[in-house]
Amino acid sequence: MNTRRLIVVGGGPAGLMAAGQAAGLGVKTLVLEKMDRPGRKLRITGKGRCNLTNAASLEDFLAHYGDNGRFLRQAFARFFSQDLTAFIGGLGITVKTERGGRVFTEEGAPELAVRLTEWAGRQGVSVRTGSRVTAIHHIDRAVTGVRILSSDGDAEDSEAACVILAAGGASYPATGSAGDGYRLAKALGHDIVSPGPALVPVETEGNTAVRLQGLSLRNVVLKVLCDGRVQAEAFGEMLFTHFGVSGPIVLSLSKVIGRCLKKKDSVILSIDLKPALDENRLDERLRRELDLHGKRSLQNMLKTLLPSALIPVCLDALRLDPHKPGHQITAEERTRLRAWLKNMELKVLRTRPMAEAIVTAGGISLHQVDPRTMASRVVSGLYFAGEVLDLDGDTGGFNLQAAFSTGWLAGRSAARWLTDQVKG
Ligand SMILES: Cc1cc2nc3c(=O)[nH]c(=O)nc-3n(C[C@H](O)[C@H](O)[C@H](O)COP(=O)(O)OP(=O)(O)OC[C@H]3O[C@@H](n4cnc5c(N)ncnc54)[C@H](O)[C@@H]3O)c2cc1C
């Protein structure tokens, strides 16, 4: 057996980082990538601008992965956001920090993918594209190599004492990550937390979304109600589309929505259009507007409170006459108007499919992975990195940081392990 060789399955950000780190420590490293070139998903990140990481502090950062964030503490202790920006700075890529601490690359995502691949090459990594790994071989729970299916349909076995599985999740399958990593790990005895879409738009019932298509709401609070109970809420920006809703706060809440839908609960999205005003202050504001502009029609008066596109939707929902003058609005009508502004409801039909999700929730169970090294606790010589793990973060650069940090740690740990094996 080739006792010195490391094979990395997948040439995404996690795999390339892992491979480059291992090769830099003197290990003969081969990346097997099933697509025609590495980093296809990386190239489309951040709408081509690549939201690489986030300026948040460590504790804040970890909170963006939900309960599983704890698993990343050790990887982040070794390689965190400042290390990542310094690393890509070394590749000649500069960054810019924007709203919400989002760190973007100036040169763009495709350029980062090119420079990362070139860097791996300079470290001594060989990258073989058009090579899909269909099995990881082992004897007595120790890795011995992989089976490769080439794009021409030829199958071959390749020996390696160590394998890093960095095959990504199952979203945007056209980029190459189509759930292979889960099947490969499961075949070796790893538990897989059922994969589902995360950071995904949501389809809603009725024609409200179509009527509001293209409208973006800023500074609203969005709540997710399952069978009438609030499950989660977020403040920020959302967007109406031809099928429903999208935008940062919808994507962030989509995992909770998906979970509620799985339980067959009735899921309602409640939008507070005026979160800065409590019920009393909003009532005062409405009274003031109605007093000041009593002669104006209701639809005109509402222009001071709502974007134009929302006005007919609001008046239809409340069955109010748009031409009614402000001074004729009754107390009961004002109360209903206030309630609607604090609670505009949309019934959720479903989340959009996995193919449209930014990341996959679920994946290789973290219970069987050592967070200090990314090593499998089931098979020796097997390591993991990136989205293939049961880790998913919010939008804002959290997913790429997790991929790069776990890749860095897996690559270095695997190299040390291989070196120790050879010495031993
Ligand atoms: C549209 C979009 C925009 C995004 N924007 C951002 C953003 O701005 N910021 C952010 O933090 N995150 C973003 N993400 C998420 C981020 O891209 C992923 O979390 C990240 O790419 C995961 O890295 P990875 O290396 O683990 O997996 P991937 O990037 O998916 O790479 C896995 C690689 O493995 C290969 N592979 C799969 N199976 C096999 C096999 N059997 N054999 C050989 N090779 C295989 C695949 O072809 C692929 O190249 C975005 C995602 C999408 C879809």
Side-chain angles (χ1 to χ4, degrees), residues 128-151:
R128 218 173 106 179
T129 55
S131 303
R132 178 176 169 207
V133 172
T134 54
I136 297 172
H137 300 312
H138 69 100
I139 295 174
D140 296 336
R141 307 228 150 265
V143 163
T144 56
V146 300
R147 167 145 283 228
I148 307 166
L149 185 66
S150 77
S151 36

Side-chain angles (χ1 to χ4, degrees), residues 125-291:
V125 174
S126 308
V127 179
R128 218 173 106 179
T129 55
S131 303
R132 178 176 169 207
V133 172
T134 54
I136 297 172
H137 300 312
H138 69 100
I139 295 174
D140 296 336
R141 307 228 150 265
V143 163
T144 56
V146 300
R147 167 145 283 228
I148 307 166
L149 185 66
S150 77
S151 36
D152 309 331
D154 299 329
E156 68 174 287
D157 289 315
S158 185
E159 290 184 342
C162 190
V163 167
I164 298 178
L165 183 56
S171 71
Y172 272 67
T175 61
S177 31
D180 296 14
Y182 308 142
R183 290 185 283 277
L184 291 168
K186 192 168 182 209
L188 294 171
H190 273 271
D191 295 335
I192 307 299
V193 176
S194 168
L199 302 183
V200 69
V202 169
E203 292 182 28
T204 55
E205 194 178 74
N207 67 352
T208 305
V210 180
R211 290 176 75 187
L212 296 174
Q213 190 178 156
L215 174 69
S216 168
L217 297 175
R218 287 193 169 185
N219 303 327
V220 294
V221 168
L222 181 66
K223 293 191 185 111
V224 180
L225 286 95
C226 297
D227 284 344
R229 282 191 303 278
V230 177
Q231 302 294 315
E233 63 179 74
F235 171 79
E237 188 176 345
M238 63 180 286
L239 172 77
F240 288 90
T241 69
H242 64 284
F243 55 75
V245 284
S246 186
I249 55 175
V250 173
L251 297 182
S252 295
L253 292 172
S254 61
K255 195 161 92 170
V256 177
I257 295 170
R259 235 187 269 139
C260 296
L261 289 168
K262 247 188 197 162
K263 289 192 279 169
K264 307 256 184 289
D265 288 347
S266 144
V267 187
I268 301 289
L269 297 180
S270 159
I271 308 168
D272 181 349
L273 295 158
K274 297 286 163 200
L277 301 175
D278 64 19
E279 298 267 342
N280 288 337
R281 287 178 56 207
L282 181 57
D283 199 49
E284 276 168 31
R285 169 92 192 268
L286 283 173
R287 277 170 191 266
R288 206 170 52 237
E289 294 292 337
L290 292 167
D291 285 348

